[in-house]
Amino acid sequence: MKLFGKELSKLFNREMKTKRLYAEFKDFVRLPLFFYHIIGFNPYAEDKKDGRSSNNWLWILFFIHMGALNFVLGCEIIFAIDQFMNGSFVVACETLGYIGFVAVSDLKIIAVYFRRATLSNLVHQMDSIFPKNHEHKDYDVSRYLTRCRLLTKSFSVLYIVLISLYNMVAYFQYVIDRYIQNSPDAERTMPYVPNVPWNWHNSNWGFYGTYFLQSWAACVSSVGHISADLMIFSVEIQVLMHFDYLSKSLLEFPIQAENGANIEGANRDLSKLQHLIAYHNKILGLIDLINEVFGRPLLLNFLTSSVVVCLVGFQMTIVLSPEQVVKLTLYLISANVEIYLICYFSQLLIEASGGVALAVYDMNWTIADHRVRKMLVLVAQRAQKPVFLKATVFLDISMETMSTFLRMSYKFFCAIRTMYQ
């Protein structure tokens, strides 16, 4: 625990020292890295020599967190099956919503765990092409960093409020009934499911210990969602920055040899263009690495979230208490915001990558050497192939995917509503 405390202390100290003239790559991923460190997980190696042995205590803490998370997940699955068998359809649907949330978070963490080497490669490549200090103005780094911080902090607050509300409502309801309304029938309940292998009803230790365990697992689950999504958003914003800079560089490309009249100038044009093409290839390679790391969890995220949204919507059509309505409304908003942001950023990637082809068309290519013109044709052809997030080979993500997601959720909702009736 001391080592974990030191890690958090270092993280906060680095945050305080960030007030410098120029931003760094780490400034973009500081928040997702912070959430990963909360559960004792290093999502990538900071250098090639960094391995698991240097952070043994953090890894032990990570496996303890994952053990608690999966233990509670197992309890929820058993409870949901039991409720279905007993005919408690509404309670079973509510529990399935919890299971979906935890399962997606669990698999996001596991996916990054097994793709840690690939994520490390992605981070090192992004760090290697991050703008140097004198290039920040050309890249407009401060604008992208401000955008990244605003988005990631807002998204984090949304999920923190969501999980805090779910964790505390059951206990606050008991306190109100027992001590404020002086009700002798006040009943202590768990925040999620009452199903555990021991009897927690007969002692304060059993109740508070079980309550803490479920709340702890819920926090780990929320961190799994937040950290993976924030990492995706952070690297995507940087990729957008690189695409925009590439388009700007092509638009402002200075032709030094008109129609090849100056051989030396034409060679310089060709050399600069080759550099931009290599830069374009690196950006496209980053997208491949992002999809390799996060493709599977994104697919599961879409499939599970569509079911969770329809289950939450179904519960909201039934007569509920005010606190349940607030919880479900916030849950519904969070799930839709998560999917929307993923689709939104993938759509921005499509537009930014296509903007490279438009930049080639708009630049002053007509007076360039014939070798430069031929290379520009190849650049434009390659840029016309859209670049986007892929949930494996089964789903190409864009804003149209958001419409598909909502339609699918509505179909599931109608099916469940029909079963209930």
Side-chain angles (χ1 to χ4, degrees):
M1 292 300 293
K2 289 183 179 179
L3 179 59
F4 180 56
K6 289 181 179 179
E7 288 290 330
L8 289 181
S9 177
K10 290 179 182 178
L11 197 60
F12 281 117
N13 289 336
R14 286 198 297 266
E15 181 70 28
M16 295 301 294
K17 294 177 181 178
T18 311
K19 297 179 180 179
R20 47 177 147 19
L21 184 60
Y22 297 105
E24 296 179 353
F25 166 78
K26 290 183 179 180
D27 294 326
F28 282 84
V29 297
R30 196 173 300 279
L31 194 56
L33 197 61
F34 167 73
F35 280 107
Y36 273 124
H37 282 180
I38 286 179
I39 58 174
F41 181 42
N42 283 322
Y44 61 83
E46 295 188 3
D47 55 63
K48 295 181 179 180
K49 296 181 180 180
D50 182 24
R52 185 179 303 183
S53 59
S54 60
N55 296 287
N56 286 334
W57 287 107
L58 280 178
W59 283 108
I60 292 173
L61 182 63
F62 168 69
F63 288 118
I64 291 174
H65 282 304
M66 294 301 293
L69 176 66
N70 287 284
F71 174 79
V72 173
L73 176 60
C75 292
E76 291 176 343
I77 293 173
I78 294 172
F79 182 73
I81 295 173
D82 182 64
Q83 294 302 304
F84 269 123
M85 295 179 64
N86 293 333
S88 301
F89 189 74
V90 176
V91 178
C93 287
E94 181 182 6
T95 309
L96 284 177
Y98 300 149
I99 292 173
F101 185 86
V102 176
V104 171
S105 172
D106 200 3
L107 288 169
K108 281 183 177 179
I109 297 173
I110 292 173
V112 175
Y113 175 82
F114 284 106
R115 295 287 183 178
R116 186 169 181 261
T118 306
L119 182 57
S120 299
N121 185 22
L122 169 65
V123 168
H124 296 153
Q125 289 193 32
M126 296 199 74
D127 193 18
S128 68
I129 64 172
F130 192 81
K132 303 299 187 291
N133 291 348
H134 64 278
E135 298 174 326
H136 277 216
K137 186 175 180 181
D138 294 332
Y139 279 80
D140 201 3
V141 174
S142 60
R143 180 170 69 89
Y144 289 97
L145 180 58
T146 301
R147 183 181 183 183
C148 179
R149 286 175 171 171
L150 178 62
L151 172 69
T152 54
K153 288 180 180 179
S154 301
F155 186 78
S156 303
V157 169
L158 176 63
Y159 265 85
I160 290 172
V161 171
L162 171 68
I163 209 65
S164 300
L165 183 64
Y166 268 82
N167 282 350
M168 300 307 298
V169 161
Y171 184 71
F172 282 158
Q173 186 63 49
Y174 167 73
V175 170
I176 292 172
D177 293 342
R178 179 69 178 84
Y179 297 104
I180 297 179
Q181 297 181 356
N182 296 318
S183 173
D185 300 325
E187 183 180 1
R188 294 193 290 195
T189 60
M190 288 293 110
Y192 300 101
V193 293
N195 181 51
V196 288
W198 57 82
N199 187 353
W200 54 268
H201 298 83
N202 298 329
S203 68
N204 286 334
W205 282 105
F207 169 72
Y208 287 111
T210 307
Y211 200 106
F212 172 77
L213 176 63
Q214 292 195 5
S215 300
W216 173 23
C219 289
V220 175
S221 178
S222 182
V223 167
H225 272 279
I226 293 172
S227 52
D229 290 337
L230 294 190
M231 183 63 75
I232 294 174
F233 301 152
S234 299
V235 296
E236 279 191 334
I237 287 175
Q238 291 187 69
V239 171
L240 290 172
M241 177 182 70
H242 289 297
F243 269 127
D244 291 344
Y245 175 76
L246 177 60
S247 298
K248 175 184 175 183
S249 298
L250 289 170
L251 280 172
E252 299 175 354
F253 191 88
I255 302 298
Q256 299 184 24
E258 295 186 5
N259 299 315
N262 183 347
I263 300 299
E264 184 179 348
N267 289 335
R268 285 197 296 267
D269 291 342
L270 192 62
S271 176
K272 289 180 180 179
L273 183 58
Q274 288 173 340
H275 174 75
L276 291 177
I277 292 174
Y279 180 51
H280 189 202
N281 291 337
K282 287 183 179 180
I283 301 172
L284 296 176
L286 296 177
I287 301 297
D288 293 337
L289 291 174
I290 293 172
N291 288 328
E292 185 178 348
V293 175
F294 297 104
R296 290 184 180 89
L298 281 175
L299 177 62
L300 183 67
N301 199 353
F302 274 90
L303 295 177
T304 307
S305 294
S306 62
V307 177
V308 168
V309 166
C310 80
L311 290 173
V312 173
F314 164 71
Q315 294 174 64
M316 295 182 71
T317 62
I318 303 170
V319 178
L320 299 171
S321 61
E323 62 271 13
Q324 287 177 311
V325 172
V326 173
K327 287 167 58 178
L328 292 173
T329 301
L330 189 57
Y331 193 1
L332 189 64
I333 292 173
S334 301
N336 280 284
V337 166
E338 179 183 26
I339 298 299
Y340 172 79
L341 287 175
I342 293 172
C343 295
Y344 171 72
F345 274 104
S346 187
Q347 184 66 40
L348 289 182
L349 283 178
I350 295 172
E351 296 172 359
S353 59
V356 174
L358 295 176
V360 171
Y361 180 79
D362 290 337
M363 66 180 290
N364 193 20
W365 55 269
T366 56
I367 64 172
D369 182 74
H370 70 280
R371 295 173 297 170
V372 173
R373 294 200 298 268
K374 288 180 179 179
M375 294 183 70
L376 288 174
V377 170
L378 297 177
V379 174
Q381 284 182 333
R382 188 169 189 180
Q384 286 174 352
K385 183 179 179 181
V387 171
F388 37 65
L389 288 178
K390 292 184 178 180
T392 68
V393 297
F394 298 104
L395 183 63
D396 297 334
I397 301 173
S398 64
M399 286 306 297
E400 185 178 349
T401 312
M402 185 68 190
S403 302
T404 304
F405 167 77
L406 294 175
R407 287 196 300 269
M408 186 182 301
S409 300
Y410 180 72
K411 290 178 180 178
F412 280 131
F413 166 77
C414 293
I416 292 176
R417 187 68 182 173
T418 302
M419 292 172 57
Y420 178 70
Q421 292 174 347

